[in-house]
Amino acid sequence: MGNNSLEATMSPAARAAHFVRSLERGLAVIRAFDADHPELTLSEVARACGLTRAAARRFLLTLADLGYVRADGRAYRLTPRVLELGYSYLSSFSLAQIAAPHLEQLVENTRESSSLCVLDGDDIVYVARVPARRIMTAAITVGTRFPAHVTSVGRVILAHLSREELEVRLAHAELTPLTARTLVSADLLRAELDRVRRQGYAVVDQELEEGLRSIAAPVRDRGGEVVAAVNIPVQAGRTTLAALRRDLLPPLLETVAGIEADLGMATGPVPASSRGTGTHRSSSSPRPPAPRP
């Protein structure tokens, strides 16, 4: 069992006048339980926390009254209610903060840059970005905006809008060609978005910038609504479309799943009345299976 004694937590000299010793002791009792010690007796808790048996018993009984601990014979265990403490921390995080460590791991694994984007009007906005250690032709930072219809992240989000909202957007969209490959037909774009919705990810090949390819997957909140997208851009000269799907799609989908798991913990249940107001539910567009090498 790790050293969880009160003395190890903070020396008396370091405590300010406002310091609440009883709160320190209560938290120490909670931290005494871990994966290696899911059950502890009164004596074990007292020893781990540097408390007398009488004090440890009072803290355990108080935590039991609050629903954070339950007794099982002579042993005590934490209850799922302690997850509320972590939930409070996670709920204070923004989507970008939640996604950041996942993007960092994705970049480390793929050696390619990755970003998290949201839809704002007709544009996508970069809200989190982890660059690879390589010079890219596009200078992109947090806050950068691009027309949604020419980006993989934009198409992923557009593809999951309600049919009514999508048609309104297509009716007034300025489909300006940025390269010779840019889709400038509303019919062709609509067909492409249908395909993106069915397959669960988007690939854009040199439509935003010559020599730049990108793959993106949607990020859904706890209610199944698409709230953002994660992309991986690559240089067309060194990565084929086949390699993009074969090598980068699986880690991209794994990353998105991790973000969604953390996002689900950081947000409460979505009221039924708020669902289906702009995006398709995840049940209509399941995650695609990872391609075989």
Side-chain angles (χ1 to χ4, degrees):
M1 191 181 307
N3 186 358
N4 193 39
S5 69
L6 299 182
E7 290 76 8
T9 303
M10 180 179 288
S11 65
R15 298 184 181 115
H18 63 260
F19 193 84
V20 181
R21 185 77 183 274
S22 60
L23 177 58
E24 179 192 28
R25 289 171 171 172
L27 293 175
V29 170
I30 292 176
R31 293 199 307 271
F33 298 88
D34 57 28
D36 295 326
H37 307 90
E39 288 189 350
L40 294 172
T41 64
L42 172 60
S43 296
E44 290 171 333
V45 170
R47 185 166 56 252
C49 300
L51 297 170
T52 64
R53 282 174 53 87
R57 181 174 181 275
R58 289 197 300 272
F59 282 110
L60 284 168
L61 292 178
T62 299
L63 289 170
D65 289 344
L66 294 173
Y68 293 112
V69 169
R70 66 177 174 84
D72 187 7
R74 294 179 58 250
Y76 293 85
R77 297 181 66 95
L78 296 180
T79 71
R81 190 168 189 177
V82 298
L83 295 175
E84 292 178 352
L85 303 176
Y87 166 77
S88 298
Y89 171 72
L90 283 173
S91 64
S92 68
F93 270 40
S94 70
L95 174 59
Q97 288 173 310
I98 291 172
H102 297 279
L103 297 183
E104 291 170 359
Q105 187 62 54
L106 177 62
V107 172
E108 181 178 341
N109 293 341
T110 63
R111 302 185 183 278
E112 301 289 354
S113 300
S114 183
S115 302
L116 176 80
C117 301
V118 297
L119 185 66
D120 182 27
D122 294 329
D123 297 335
I124 54 94
V125 180
Y126 284 70
V127 296
R129 177 168 171 77
V130 179
R133 292 184 178 142
R134 141 183 332 115
I135 297 176
M136 294 292 292
T137 56
I140 299 172
T141 60
V142 170
T144 295
R145 307 172 73 96
F146 290 120
H149 70 280
V150 294
T151 65
S152 59
V153 281
R155 287 186 183 172
V156 160
I157 300 174
L158 290 174
H160 291 84
L161 295 176
S162 67
R163 181 64 66 180
E164 295 76 15
E165 182 175 355
L166 178 60
E167 289 304 320
V168 170
R169 287 175 176 270
L170 290 177
H172 76 267
E174 296 183 7
L175 304 181
T176 305
L178 300 181
T179 74
R181 298 171 182 261
T182 304
L183 292 182
V184 294
S185 162
D187 289 338
L188 291 177
L189 181 58
R190 186 182 295 107
E192 177 62 19
L193 295 178
D194 286 341
R195 181 170 68 170
V196 169
R197 186 184 305 113
R198 291 194 303 271
Q199 68 187 13
Y201 64 93
V203 172
V204 170
D205 184 17
Q206 305 179 74
E207 294 188 49
L208 173 65
E209 178 181 329
E210 292 287 353
L212 184 65
R213 289 174 172 148
S214 180
I215 189 169
V219 175
R220 296 174 173 86
D221 65 14
R222 188 171 180 174
E225 310 291 347
V226 173
V227 294
V230 174
N231 75 347
I232 302 176
V234 297
Q235 293 176 346
R238 60 180 176 77
T239 306
T240 65
L241 291 174
L244 192 67
R245 292 183 173 91
R246 182 190 65 236
D247 300 332
L248 299 181
L249 180 58
L252 173 63
L253 296 178
E254 182 179 352
T255 297
V256 165
I259 295 173
E260 290 177 343
D262 285 355
L263 185 60
M265 292 179 63
T267 55
V270 177
S273 60
S274 70
R275 295 173 182 166
T277 56
T279 57
H280 291 284
R281 300 299 306 282
S282 58
S283 59
S284 65
S285 52
R287 292 281 181 215
R292 295 184 179 273

